Amino acid sequence: MSQSVEQFFDNLWNDYIQLAPSAAKVHEVLGQGRTIINDHVAFRTFNIAPVRLQALAAHFEAMGYKACGDYQFEAKKLVAKHYEHSDPKLPKIFISELLVEEFSPKLQQIVQALVAQINPAEVANPEFLYSGAHWQISSADYEQLLEESEYAAWMVAFGFRANHFTVNVNELPDYESLEQVNQTLKEAGFRLNTSGGEIKGSSDVFLEQSSTMADHTAVRFSDMEKVIPSCFYEFAKRYEIAPNQLYTGFVAASADKIFESTNARAETAAEQGDNA
Ligand code: OOG
Ligand code: NI
């Protein structure tokens, strides 16, 4: 490809911090000016040609990444895969895709019509991975999708780009535990995702994760502008599965809760004190 892998990740990050300005603040607060190492970057898509998970993954395979784990999310009607690179400095990649055919005819129709507007030739360019939405959508259609799938609604509003980056807590100087990281973040005013508890997973599954709730961004729909949840930052601490060998996979039960960091609905309910 025309750009280096390093340039690719710089471009991906620059697109992401436009939608998650908090990420820059997270770096200031946790890194105190030092470089932060990312554990992984996550992408979302639909299981419809030409934007299937595999089409996005092909760009990472071209960079030398290998497919490693498969994950299923029955209730959310999603599947995911993760990819690793032999260069330990490169972040792992987590890509999920929505199983569109499992939703209502209405949702399928809205999503199919949007995906049909994508030029397949553009998908073959690595820049597609930070190209955003390739369509116009009404706020009514966004709200309609929100009824069935927070993920579908996020996808139609934001399109193709990093959904989140993830701080590698093992490589973070000054912090022994994820609790300490969370404490520092809360003291700095960040709102954490509390679905399933602030910390998802444990040393028993070799992975602990937490995340901020997504920043809010004004999105221009075809009929009006709306301020909705965009992108978030995640924090991951990994444990050894053998001496000097950290677990490199993901944990479906924890990931299931991390997805909710972009929820528009649950958040409103929580703000109204209605957690039922
Ligand atoms: C992905 C959620 C899962 C993880 O690290 O387990 C995840 C998403 O929200 O798109 O990132
Ligand atoms: Ni993640």
Side-chain angles (χ1 to χ4, degrees):
M1 65 180 163
S2 50
Q3 60 180 341
S4 70
V5 171
E6 195 179 39
Q7 280 167 339
F8 167 81
F9 281 106
D10 280 352
N11 289 333
L12 194 62
W13 172 264
N14 290 334
D15 170 74
Y16 162 75
I17 54 167
Q18 304 283 315
L19 290 185
S22 288
K25 197 173 162 220
V26 164
H27 276 202
E28 259 171 55
V29 169
L30 295 182
Q32 309 263 319
R34 286 168 297 198
T35 309
I36 297 270
I37 303 200
N38 283 301
D39 175 85
H40 68 269
V41 186
F43 296 86
R44 298 176 173 183
T45 192
F46 298 115
N47 71 336
I48 302 177
V51 297
R52 292 177 184 281
L53 190 164
Q54 186 50 48
L56 271 53
H59 294 298
F60 293 102
E61 288 170 341
M63 295 178 210
Y65 278 87
K66 299 271 178 271
C68 290
D70 287 280
Y71 311 91
Q72 266 121 45
F73 304 92
E74 251 175 65
K76 291 187 172 64
K77 300 174 182 168
L78 291 162
V79 295
K81 274 175 167 309
H82 97 265
Y83 296 80
E84 295 178 24
H85 200 281
S86 57
D87 179 350
K89 287 193 295 294
L90 289 177
K92 296 177 225 320
I93 303 295
F94 182 94
I95 312 177
S96 56
E97 67 181 355
L98 193 71
L99 306 175
V100 177
E101 73 282 3
E102 296 189 11
F103 289 88
S104 74
K106 180 71 187 165
L107 180 145
Q108 293 186 42
Q109 188 197 329
I110 294 172
V111 171
Q112 295 278 5
L114 298 180
V115 172
Q117 294 173 46
I118 297 173
N119 173 356
E122 283 184 40
V123 184
N125 188 331
E127 289 168 12
F128 182 75
L129 293 169
Y130 48 90
S131 62
H134 292 235
W135 47 65
Q136 279 273 297
I137 178 169
S138 68
S139 60
D141 279 354
Y142 169 79
E143 294 290 337
Q144 168 94 37
L145 296 188
L146 212 45
E147 299 275 339
E148 282 187 69
S149 167
E150 288 272 358
Y151 183 108
W154 187 91
M155 266 310 293
V156 301
F158 297 105
F160 304 91
R161 52 183 13 129
N163 169 272
H164 62 271
F165 277 67
T166 306
V167 172
N168 177 335
V169 172
N170 299 70
E171 295 292 334
L172 202 55
D174 309 337
Y175 291 90
E176 285 299 312
S177 70
L178 192 55
E179 281 90 345
Q180 285 172 359
V181 170
N182 288 349
Q183 193 53 38
T184 300
L185 292 167
K186 286 189 288 184
E187 281 165 12
F190 291 99
R191 224 152 49 88
L192 298 182
N193 171 343
T194 56
S195 178
E198 270 176 18
I199 296 187
K200 295 118 181 65
S202 67
S203 56
D204 293 346
V205 292
F206 308 107
L207 177 61
E208 287 180 338
Q209 293 163 275
S210 64
S211 62
T212 61
M213 284 308 286
D215 279 336
H216 283 66
T217 307
V219 170
R220 210 183 305 272
F221 291 97
S222 56
D223 53 337
M224 64 157 95
E225 201 172 86
K226 254 177 130 69
V227 177
I228 60 170
S230 50
C231 297
F232 60 91
Y233 216 139
E234 186 190 321
F235 312 90
K237 181 171 164 75
R238 296 184 179 275
Y239 290 86
E240 288 180 338
I241 47 166
N244 296 315
Q245 200 191 332
L246 293 176
Y247 178 61
T248 59
F250 288 76
V251 175
S254 303
D256 190 66
K257 305 299 180 206
I258 298 281
F259 278 112
E260 295 171 17
S261 310
T262 53
N263 275 15
R265 287 286 167 90
E267 212 177 347
T268 313
E271 275 158 12
Q272 291 166 350
D274 169 20
N275 278 315

